[in-house]
Amino acid sequence: MLFKVYYQESINEVPVRENTQTLYVNGESVRDIRKKLADRAYNIEYIKPVTGAYLEYEKQNEHFKVLEI
């Protein structure tokens, strides 16, 4: 399943909408995604599953790239 991860670059950074970045990761669950990203110093705000029409919409985005971990 594909998940969209909303995060800040630094774990010490306060979440601000304008600085929030996103990435897409394949995984089994939210817990699995958190384990895969644990070695990075990201301040993860939210992890959301991406399926169906929402996935098709996201694929049209020029920044759509699935991170292979």
Side-chain angles (χ1 to χ4, degrees):
M1 176 179 267
L2 188 65
F3 290 88
K4 184 174 184 178
V5 180
Y6 296 87
Y7 70 98
Q8 304 293 319
E9 280 289 324
S10 170
I11 197 146
N12 298 322
E13 193 172 335
V14 176
V16 177
R17 184 183 321 179
E18 290 80 5
N19 297 336
T20 299
Q21 298 185 22
T22 59
L23 58 89
Y24 302 90
V25 183
N26 278 316
E28 298 295 319
S29 65
V30 171
R31 177 177 276 184
D32 183 40
I33 300 301
R34 288 191 181 275
K35 284 182 184 178
K36 288 182 177 184
L37 298 175
D39 63 335
R40 300 165 192 238
Y42 292 158
N43 182 6
I44 298 174
E45 293 179 42
Y46 186 65
I47 301 174
K48 178 178 184 175
V50 181
T51 59
Y54 183 54
L55 176 58
E56 295 306 315
Y57 172 77
E58 289 292 332
K59 285 182 179 179
Q60 295 174 9
N61 185 345
E62 65 185 51
H63 300 291
F64 181 82
K65 181 178 176 187
V66 178
L67 183 64
E68 297 296 327
I69 299 178

